Amino acid sequence: MKETSARLVGPVEIVGTGLIGTSIALACRRAGLEVLLTDTDPDHVRTATGLGAGRARTPGDVPQLVVVAVPPDALGAAITATLDAAGPDTVVTDVGSVKAAPLAAVAGHPAISRYVGSHPMAGTEHSGPLSASAALFDGRPWAVTPGPDATPAAARLVEALVVLCGAVPVPLSPVEHDRAVARTSHVPHLMASLVAGTLAGASADHLALSGTGVRDVTRVAGGDPRLYSQIIGGNAGAVAALLTEVRARLDLAIEAVAGDDRAGLESLLAYGQAGTRAIPGKHGTAPQAMEAVRVSVPDHPGELARLFADAGASGVNIEDVRIDHDPGRPVGLVELDVVAARAEELRVALESNGWVTHR
């Protein structure tokens, strides 16, 4: 591949028009680029086209960049086929959740210098083109993982795609990427699924006590089991190593609870608390101490809008929001996460407007 400018001018081809692929296509169209769509399911292409994500690729098209966005088990073959068919200057990336395995699958390919893996850390529990959004990647980290044979020009072009989609490029080696996502995504998903599994078949009386805590812990367990088995299975080594660490701490937790070892239990809980504090704050800044301001909100139209308007007028920035519905009355409990130092200021401002807060 000749060393050309990293300016992304298109066309960009998307291979696989599911949630991620169609979202990338929409972001590229938002930027004015020509987008070509390819999928083994023609209905997905028609749907994505109808959403304004681009047009079906024709034999004469020559994309500047191809983004492979297919399920994990199909990545290696799809990347190889794309490199085989691509023009001599076309760069190929993929957006799979693991990076070492796809790179190994194309090792020795004559066009491997034009392949650069990548992985946007964004998504939802939903799938398919109808769930796509051009704003899906805004402000999100997106790993760029060139292998040792990739040219700098290819890596720069993939970084240009990341920036165009509104995301933040994070350079990593494929191996370090897989270790990182095992810790921040794959093992947490498994843990959420294990906890959620304890709810299956539970009595209605027990489930009636469900609150924001159990919803927060189990939310990601709602993802497609077939997809996530591919994602986690493709990163088996890194995931298994971390699961071994978790199992050791789980054994300690069982011993502490069964043996009424309050000091041991507190030590485990404190270790977990330290982990939550290690998570970066928004925009990659240092984490700040947060506090939830809890407000009772009548469950009828217009009340949330009024709450947010009053919160905005206070001048206190809302960092996150959670809503828990009272099963016994038409009232919701809204938790507004704010910087701890300004929580009382927000409470006073809301109470002055007639809101009931819970201290």
Side-chain angles (χ1 to χ4, degrees):
M1 175 182 171
K2 61 186 180 182
E3 292 289 320
T4 57
S5 168
R7 183 167 174 260
L8 183 58
V9 296
V12 174
E13 180 184 1
I14 307 297
V15 178
T17 50
L19 167 68
I20 299 298
T22 303
S23 294
I24 294 171
L26 289 169
C28 289
R29 290 295 302 133
R30 178 179 64 183
L33 297 187
E34 183 181 11
V35 177
L36 317 172
L37 305 173
T38 302
D39 200 298
T40 56
D41 185 342
D43 287 338
H44 276 194
V45 173
R46 280 192 289 270
T47 300
T49 300
L51 294 171
R55 63 172 176 83
R57 182 181 177 176
T58 61
D61 290 321
V62 180
Q64 180 191 19
L65 175 67
V66 180
V67 181
V68 179
V70 301
D73 283 355
L75 269 177
I79 296 167
T80 298
T82 301
L83 288 171
D84 288 342
D89 298 321
T90 298
V91 171
V92 176
T93 188
D94 76 286
V95 289
S97 299
V98 293
K99 300 277 58 103
L103 180 63
V106 298
H109 193 285
I112 194 171
S113 65
R114 295 187 278 110
Y115 166 67
V116 176
S118 72
H119 179 206
M121 299 304 295
T124 73
E125 295 81 52
H126 307 292
S127 60
L130 287 174
S131 300
S133 168
L136 183 66
F137 313 105
D138 288 353
R140 302 297 303 163
W142 187 323
V144 179
T145 61
D149 298 309
T151 66
R156 289 196 300 270
L157 193 66
V158 174
E159 288 179 357
L161 172 71
V162 173
V163 172
L164 178 143
C165 289
V168 180
V170 179
L172 287 170
S173 74
V175 170
E176 281 304 309
H177 166 275
D178 288 357
R179 289 174 180 164
V181 292
R183 190 177 304 276
T184 62
S185 178
H186 301 166
V187 168
H189 191 104
L190 274 175
M191 295 298 101
S193 296
L194 293 175
V195 173
T198 68
L199 305 175
S203 71
D205 288 345
H206 291 185
L207 296 174
L209 299 181
S210 300
T212 56
V214 72
R215 291 189 180 95
D216 287 347
V217 170
T218 60
R219 179 184 61 81
V220 297
D224 181 357
R226 289 188 298 176
L227 173 62
Y228 280 94
S229 68
Q230 292 183 43
I231 291 172
I232 294 168
N235 199 18
V239 171
L242 275 175
L243 286 176
T244 301
E245 294 181 23
V246 173
R247 181 174 62 186
R249 287 196 289 276
L250 181 58
D251 287 340
L252 291 174
I254 293 170
E255 293 171 9
V257 172
D260 197 24
D261 178 7
R262 298 296 178 86
L265 183 57
E266 183 177 341
S267 177
L268 284 168
L269 292 171
Y271 193 60
Q273 184 184 56
T276 65
R277 291 172 176 168
I279 299 170
K282 65 179 184 178
H283 313 310
T285 59
Q288 299 186 70
M290 306 298 292
E291 187 172 335
V293 174
R294 297 174 177 86
V295 188
S296 290
V297 180
D299 191 10
H300 55 74
E303 291 302 305
L304 273 178
R306 185 167 68 88
L307 173 62
F308 291 139
D310 289 344
S314 75
V316 179
N317 193 48
I318 306 302
E319 307 291 341
D320 203 355
V321 178
R322 291 178 298 279
I323 302 175
D324 189 24
H325 294 282
D326 187 330
R329 351 175 250 157
V331 174
L333 183 65
V334 177
E335 296 187 353
L336 305 174
D337 284 352
V338 299
V339 173
R342 303 196 68 185
E344 186 61 19
E345 179 184 349
L346 178 59
R347 287 191 190 95
V348 170
L350 292 177
E351 289 168 356
S352 70
N353 283 289
W355 295 101
V356 176
T357 69
H358 300 261
R359 298 175 186 271

